Amino acid sequence: MKPGEEIAIRVDQTLTQDATGTLVMQELEALDLDRAKTEVSVQYVDHNLLQADEKNAEDHAFLRSACRRYGLWFSKAGNGVSHPTHMKHFGKPGKTLIGSDSHTCAGGSLGMLAIGVGGLEVASGIAGEPLYLRMPEIWGMRLEGELPPWVSAKDVILEMLRRHGVKGGLQRIIEYHGPGLAHLTAMDRHVIANMGAELGATTSVFPADDAVRVFLREQDREDDFTELVAEDADYDISDEIDLASLEPLIAKPSSPGNVVPVREVAGTPVSQVVIGSSANPGLRDFAMAAAMVSGRQSSDAVSFDVNPSSREIFADLTKMGATLDLISAGARLHQTGCMGCIGMGQAPASGTNSLRTFPRNFPGRSGTKEDSVWLCSPETAASAALTGEITDPRDLADKLELEYPSLDLPERATINLDMLVAPLEPDEAQREELVKGPNISALPDFPPLPDRIEAPVLLKLGDDISTDEISPAGARALPFRSNIPKLSDFTFTQVRENYPQQAAEIKDTTGHIVVAGDNYGQGSSREHAAITPRYLGLHAVVAKSFARIHWQNLANFGVLALEFDEPGDYDRIDEGDTLVLDRLRDLLPGDRHAQIHNATKDETYELHHRLSERQVEAVLAGGRIPLLARRPDADQEKVDV
């Protein structure tokens, strides 16, 4: 396996959640799947939990019926955030896991090869297809030392982002090793692996060692442990962090890569603090915040919000007395789920600062268009809840006479399997009908890519455009995730309010092109960010570079992704210019190079693509679904990792 070459990986497990899973189930229907061919596939309901009307409830009923029909596990609404819940009940060292959520990489904390992908990749995996991807470089990250008081796992991944930014992990797998691992629990590792997605990494991997054995024992699953430890390994790239040298860090608005020491921004007023999400989902994270605020009252300037990551965590907090500590301190407890992380409630006031233990702070993701979201550890978040301003937790001894808490966590975790619904037996599953409410549309049927594209540049965008900016999250848009025509009305509205109307006007004539800078499509794995622009007539995106998952999603739905040979040519194109791509059916399958002519300026630019032959075939056909539907029961073609 050489970096850059396409490889295929057997899929053992899959994970879907309700914001992306509805499309996966529609794709399984389009593939005419008989039954899931994976060892374990689980559908979680953890995103669209605010039921302001009937739409989210219809999605939940559809997902339940699809799980019954196709042989998937179903995690009921409010059972828990997918990543830590999957880790607790299904994660196994050495297994492969793909998920229609970019933070699926959190499974690497158990020694899994866990990769976030687009929904169609997950549907293909459930149907027995391997996962295709380009072999990444392996980045060995050696950890030395032990974290000092008031510094925790979130500060480790924030240090990675401070050093390397949101593009530092592109086309890389990060493998953590070294003596520092002895001081990090499995849930500490979850925090670090989870936000490898923010580095742009394909995934992160930790060894399956004694810390993983202890975790599985706590979950009454020690029999699932397999030791996997790399000794004397060679890496394509090597780096090192001395854990003892770290200090509390914080990501300023509005990028996870905008990281500074907390003391550098101390004193900044805060109006909201939110603790929870998949980025800090462990009992320790909530218990630390509870211990810090115990016997104290949060600032009257702050809305102090807590959404536990699972009912089991909530139960353990309650047994410890930590729930009472949080409530007594003024915390507002919300549903167990992603909630504010995806902009589903807990939207902050405009022009105010919100500190969150979440993984992302892209503009508008919180549900407030003019938001100011900071990312930090539970220690830093709880400090701000108490003081009303950004505060280094190391300074609490002087400010509040608060010493570093010592936590007494239970040796055995609460285990509640009642909200995990097992797959039906095959004979019973065959009799199940899919339950589709009025808000659940069919998947669009896209025509083949034209041999000649002559279309205007409807949008010219900068660097690091996120999928949140292409297809917004939040309580207004999320309920339409299973209704592509309606969801398309929200496309790019974070960037330009009237983009959907402009695109619709030329959808059936010329269509349009988008031009972008580096790392186009970073962030969430939501394939909606490829499908809704395609629905509105997007033929091609020409960019300096692409984020991995979005690049794959574009190919899956028939949008041509091209990169500039000379990045400076980006500056020569303006919005409104008409670009021409010709003889695509001859050029794409052979040479990876192409030319695009700017008819407005009478200039020609050199481009290239990174598509495999298989992806070229999909793009030319208008997407992968027609190709996959020809062989829904195909055996896996390649099985070795």
Side-chain angles (χ1 to χ4, degrees):
M1 297 181 291
K2 297 180 181 179
E5 289 186 355
E6 188 178 68
I7 59 173
I9 295 173
R10 182 190 63 246
V11 177
D12 297 322
Q13 299 185 1
T14 69
L15 171 161
T16 46
Q17 38 88 338
D18 49 318
T20 56
T22 51
L23 276 183
V24 174
M25 301 309 154
Q26 288 171 296
E27 287 156 358
L28 294 181
E29 182 184 20
L31 296 177
D32 195 24
L33 180 71
D34 178 32
R35 188 172 178 83
K37 301 183 184 301
T38 45
E39 294 176 10
V40 172
S41 287
V42 190
Q43 169 65 56
Y44 295 89
V45 180
D46 61 356
H47 277 62
N48 289 347
L49 297 176
L50 286 181
Q51 293 176 220
D53 57 26
E54 76 288 352
K55 297 182 186 67
N56 288 342
E58 289 177 3
D59 280 352
H60 301 169
F62 170 61
L63 290 170
R64 175 181 176 273
S65 71
C67 288
R68 292 169 66 85
R69 172 62 187 85
Y70 298 121
L72 281 69
W73 285 80
F74 180 66
S75 179
K76 294 168 65 176
N79 182 39
V81 177
S82 59
H83 312 298
T85 306
H86 197 92
M87 180 181 172
K88 283 168 66 71
H89 296 297
F90 299 102
K92 291 184 181 181
K95 295 295 184 181
T96 59
L97 166 68
I98 63 173
S100 61
D101 188 296
S102 54
H103 292 116
T104 300
C105 52
S109 56
L110 289 186
M112 302 184 77
L113 187 65
I115 302 176
V117 294
L120 189 51
E121 258 72 40
V122 176
S124 302
I126 294 172
E129 291 278 317
L131 171 69
Y132 294 94
L133 73 160
R134 296 202 172 276
M135 178 64 193
E137 294 180 314
I138 309 300
W139 181 4
M141 181 58 63
R142 181 178 174 85
L143 301 181
E144 299 275 0
E146 183 176 358
L147 292 171
W150 299 113
V151 180
S152 61
K154 188 62 160 283
D155 298 303
V156 178
I157 190 61
L158 288 175
E159 171 66 10
M160 290 284 286
L161 284 156
R162 186 188 69 81
R163 293 185 184 188
H164 303 288
V166 295
K167 297 186 281 287
L170 286 174
Q171 301 303 320
R172 293 175 175 175
I173 289 177
I174 307 169
E175 183 175 311
Y176 291 90
H177 64 103
L181 287 175
H183 308 291
L184 296 176
T185 67
M187 287 308 300
D188 290 335
R189 300 171 187 192
H190 178 111
V191 175
I192 298 167
N194 177 287
M195 285 187 64
E198 275 53 70
L199 285 160
T202 301
T203 191
S204 299
V205 178
F206 284 84
D209 54 14
D210 284 343
V212 173
R213 186 195 296 273
V214 168
F215 174 81
L216 291 173
R217 183 186 304 135
E218 291 170 351
Q219 310 304 320
D220 200 23
R221 289 204 300 126
E222 191 171 1
D223 288 347
D224 287 337
F225 176 74
T226 301
E227 185 177 61
L228 291 171
V229 180
E231 297 180 358
D232 301 321
D234 292 324
Y235 300 100
D236 296 306
I237 305 142
S238 294
D239 202 351
E240 183 175 304
I241 293 177
D242 178 8
L243 300 179
S245 69
L246 297 184
E247 61 179 312
L249 298 171
I250 192 167
K252 298 163 60 177
S254 292
S255 169
N258 194 11
V259 177
V260 297
V262 173
R263 279 183 174 159
E264 186 175 306
V265 291
T268 304
V270 172
S271 69
Q272 184 191 55
V273 166
V274 192
I275 294 175
S277 90
S278 68
N280 278 102
L283 177 63
R284 178 258 172 215
D285 295 324
F286 296 99
M288 173 58 70
M292 290 175 63
V293 302
S294 178
R296 295 175 169 82
Q297 182 57 223
S298 57
S299 167
D300 62 358
V302 175
S303 174
F304 181 26
D305 296 85
V306 177
N307 48 276
S309 51
S310 73
R311 287 175 181 257
E312 294 160 317
I313 295 289
F314 202 173
D316 283 333
L317 284 170
T318 304
K319 291 175 184 177
M320 295 172 58
T323 300
L324 182 60
D325 290 336
L326 290 166
I327 293 173
S328 300
R332 303 164 62 193
L333 267 66
H334 300 269
Q335 291 189 61
T336 52
C338 295
M339 304 305 294
C341 184
I342 194 69
M344 211 57 166
Q346 300 159 280
S350 297
T352 64
N353 293 305
S354 173
L355 265 63
R356 301 175 168 214
T357 63
F358 295 176
R360 289 182 177 143
N361 58 344
F362 300 138
R365 180 179 169 88
S366 67
T368 300
K369 191 169 184 178
E370 302 297 330
D371 59 7
S372 182
V373 173
W374 307 61
L375 307 177
C376 62
S377 69
E379 292 89 339
T380 300
S383 299
L386 290 170
T387 63
E389 61 186 26
I390 296 178
T391 302
D392 189 312
R394 296 173 298 179
D395 297 333
L396 291 179
D398 294 333
K399 287 179 176 287
L400 299 176
E401 298 183 353
L402 175 59
E403 300 299 327
Y404 185 63
S406 176
L407 301 180
D408 185 17
L409 302 179
E411 292 185 2
R412 292 280 179 172
T414 293
I415 300 171
N416 179 2
L417 302 178
D418 293 339
M419 293 187 68
L420 284 168
V421 183
L424 295 179
E425 292 298 320
D427 290 347
E428 190 177 358
Q430 288 292 324
R431 296 192 292 271
E432 283 293 316
E433 297 288 339
L434 296 180
V435 177
K436 290 187 175 182
N439 190 49
I440 296 174
S441 70
L443 280 173
D445 184 16
F446 296 127
L449 188 75
D451 190 49
R452 175 185 171 87
I453 297 171
E454 183 172 349
V457 176
L458 203 54
L459 283 178
K460 184 179 180 183
L461 306 165
D463 294 342
D464 300 323
I465 293 296
S466 74
T467 49
D468 279 275
E469 292 166 285
I470 304 171
S471 183
R476 289 179 60 239
L478 278 176
F480 296 105
R481 284 294 180 88
S482 52
N483 186 338
I484 296 301
K486 181 62 179 175
L487 187 65
S488 69
D489 292 341
F490 296 89
T491 309
F492 278 122
T493 52
Q494 296 271 89
V495 177
R496 178 180 297 162
E497 194 72 31
N498 65 344
Y499 166 87
Q501 292 74 33
Q502 289 182 312
E505 288 174 2
I506 56 175
K507 169 185 173 182
D508 297 323
T509 53
T510 61
H512 67 280
I513 293 172
V514 166
V515 172
D518 274 319
N519 200 29
Y520 177 75
Q522 69 160 332
S524 166
S525 66
R526 67 192 72 159
E527 57 191 349
H528 306 78
I531 298 173
T532 61
R534 179 71 184 90
Y535 179 80
L536 291 172
L538 177 65
H539 287 309
V541 179
V542 183
K544 293 181 181 179
S545 67
F546 292 86
R548 173 185 60 88
I549 301 177
H550 188 63
W551 169 80
Q552 206 159 27
N553 285 338
L554 290 172
N556 283 344
F557 291 94
V559 178
L560 182 58
L562 297 167
E563 298 180 12
F564 291 102
D565 281 3
E566 296 293 334
D569 286 342
Y570 164 88
D571 299 315
R572 305 177 68 85
I573 301 176
D574 296 313
E575 278 189 9
D577 286 357
T578 296
L579 302 183
V580 181
L581 286 157
D582 207 358
R583 297 178 51 248
L584 292 175
R585 297 189 175 277
D586 291 333
L587 289 174
L588 295 181
D591 194 352
R592 291 192 174 183
H593 293 272
Q595 290 184 333
I596 191 166
H597 183 67
N598 188 331
T600 303
K601 294 185 170 66
D602 195 21
E603 297 176 344
T604 299
Y605 319 117
E606 299 294 326
L607 308 172
H608 62 272
H609 71 78
R610 303 181 186 275
L611 303 171
S612 67
E613 292 181 9
R614 179 183 49 80
Q615 289 172 314
V616 167
E617 183 185 8
V619 170
L620 293 176
R624 267 185 78 205
I625 287 182
L627 304 180
L628 286 168
R630 297 175 196 163
R631 45 195 179 113
D633 297 320
D635 291 331
Q636 298 195 23
E637 298 170 10
K638 300 179 184 178
V639 296
D640 292 330
V641 176

